[in-house]
Structure formats: structure tokens, C-alpha cells
Amino acid sequence: MAPPPHENEMTRSESAPATAVKTVDVQTAATPAVGVTPVDVQTAATPAVGVTTVDVQTVTPPAVGVTTVDVQTAAIPAMAVTTVDVQTAARELQEQQDGMMYLDVRTEEEMGKGHIGGSLNVPYFFVTPQGTREKNPRFVEQVASLYTTEQHILVGCQSGKRSELACVDLLAAGFMNVKNVGGGYAAWLHNGLPVTVAVPTPPPTPESAAAI
């Protein structure tokens, strides 16, 4: 007859599991179930299909049709230029209302072909040797050497465009009584108003050249 089992052996036999348990390590246990694809943080942060990411620079430009204005442009005040027609200008000059003076801002060449009697000339633009126009950088300074800021001045050019720009500059510089002559010298001629035409100097003849 076999001896009864030892007490320790009975304890081991009773504590053994009824079914086989498969042990797995930590790494194996952390693996997701079949069909689940692991993603890292960067992949998870990617937006869904159809969503476009934009950076700050892309977002900040204004919408289509909106014009941006910098501080300097917004700060420039609009200068209100008073424009008179040539008939009014001629009457004010003739009657010397408020000591009215006429400033011609055309080029010297234009001035030499004909001008209004008693007018003074300070070109607003110069014509370069290349045929382009360049603004006179000393325009306001030169006008200030001829007139005071309180004087009443009619400003004219060939058509009224340059003289309007000149008035804007003079108003900004503190000239208080400047007016633009609308239509300029062309309108003056068209209305038959008096002008002074410089007599061209004839070219020297052989005899006069020899005398020189």
C-alpha cells in the first residue's frame, strides 16, 4: 500500500491552476489588439483628411479686396487746393486784389515760349537729358525766397496739373493764400487773354559773327 502524500506535496498540487495560463511579458501585453494601428504623437496631431493646415503668416494677410494702408500714408492729411478759372485769375491780377501775384511753375523752355506778364518762374519739374521729368528738390525753398507765406499767389502751369501739385506742397509748407489756375496757360491762350511772348534771339550772321 502506497504511503499517503506528503503535506507539502498536497499543498503544491492543490494550489496549481486548473487550466494552463499563458504568461506574456510587459511589451507583449502592451501591443494593441489585431486591427488597431498604433500611432505616435506626431501622427495623431495630423489633421484629418481634407483639413488644410495654415501657419500664422498665411492667416494674417487681409481678405481679397481689402487694401492695407501703412501709418505714414494714413497720417498724410488731404490738402484742399482752391482752383479758379483763368477769367477769375486774370481779373484778380488786373485788379491786384490782395496784391495778387502769378507764379509759373513750368520749365524755363515753356516759359520762354510765352507767359503771363509780370509772372515769376520756379519750375516744379525739370526735364532730364534722357527726356524724363524730375521734381525740383528745392521748389519750396526757391518759392520762399520770392514770396512770403502770407502773400496771395496764383499758381499756374501749362494745363493745371503741375500747379495743383505745387499748391499742395506750398500749403504743406505753410503758404496760406495759394490758388491753382485751372486749365493753366493753355486755357489762358484759349480764352484770348493777354500774354507776353519772348522775342527769340536771331542766330548770328557771318557779318555779326566776324564783328564779334
Side-chain angles (χ1 to χ4, degrees), residues 4-76:
H6 192 272
E7 182 179 356
N8 289 339
E9 290 179 359
M10 291 179 65
T11 302
R12 286 197 299 269
S13 176
E14 291 173 357
S15 63
T19 58
V21 177
K22 182 180 179 180
T23 60
V24 292
D25 58 21
V26 176
Q27 291 181 343
T28 306
T31 303
V34 177
V36 178
T37 304
V39 291
D40 57 20
V41 175
Q42 291 182 343
T43 306
T46 303
V49 177
V51 178
T52 304
T53 58
V54 290
D55 57 20
V56 176
Q57 291 182 342
T58 306
V59 174
T60 52
V64 177
V66 177
T67 303
T68 57
V69 181
D70 60 21
V71 177
Q72 291 183 343
T73 304
I76 298 175

Side-chain angles (χ1 to χ4, degrees), residues 115-193:
H115 56 272
I116 297 165
S119 60
L120 297 179
N121 176 232
V122 178
Y124 188 74
F125 284 113
F126 293 124
V127 179
T128 65
Q130 293 76 25
T132 59
R133 285 186 174 183
E134 184 177 286
K135 184 179 176 181
N136 178 3
R138 298 182 57 202
F139 173 74
V140 173
E141 176 188 345
Q142 291 170 345
V143 173
S145 69
L146 300 173
Y147 305 102
T148 67
T149 55
E150 293 82 17
Q151 278 186 275
H152 291 256
I153 308 169
L154 291 168
V155 185
C157 63
Q158 186 65 25
S159 65
K161 297 298 184 182
R162 280 173 286 175
S163 54
E164 185 176 14
L165 295 174
C167 284
V168 171
D169 286 1
L170 293 173
L171 287 168
F175 285 82
M176 298 175 287
N177 300 301
V178 294
K179 297 178 183 178
N180 176 44
V181 179
Y185 188 70
W188 194 280
L189 289 176
H190 182 74
N191 282 267
L193 296 169

Side-chain angles (χ1 to χ4, degrees), residues 83-92 154 180-183 187-188 193:
T83 298
V84 297
D85 58 53
V86 291
Q87 296 287 355
T88 302
R91 184 175 64 254
E92 291 183 354
L154 291 168
N180 176 44
V181 179
W188 194 280
L193 296 169

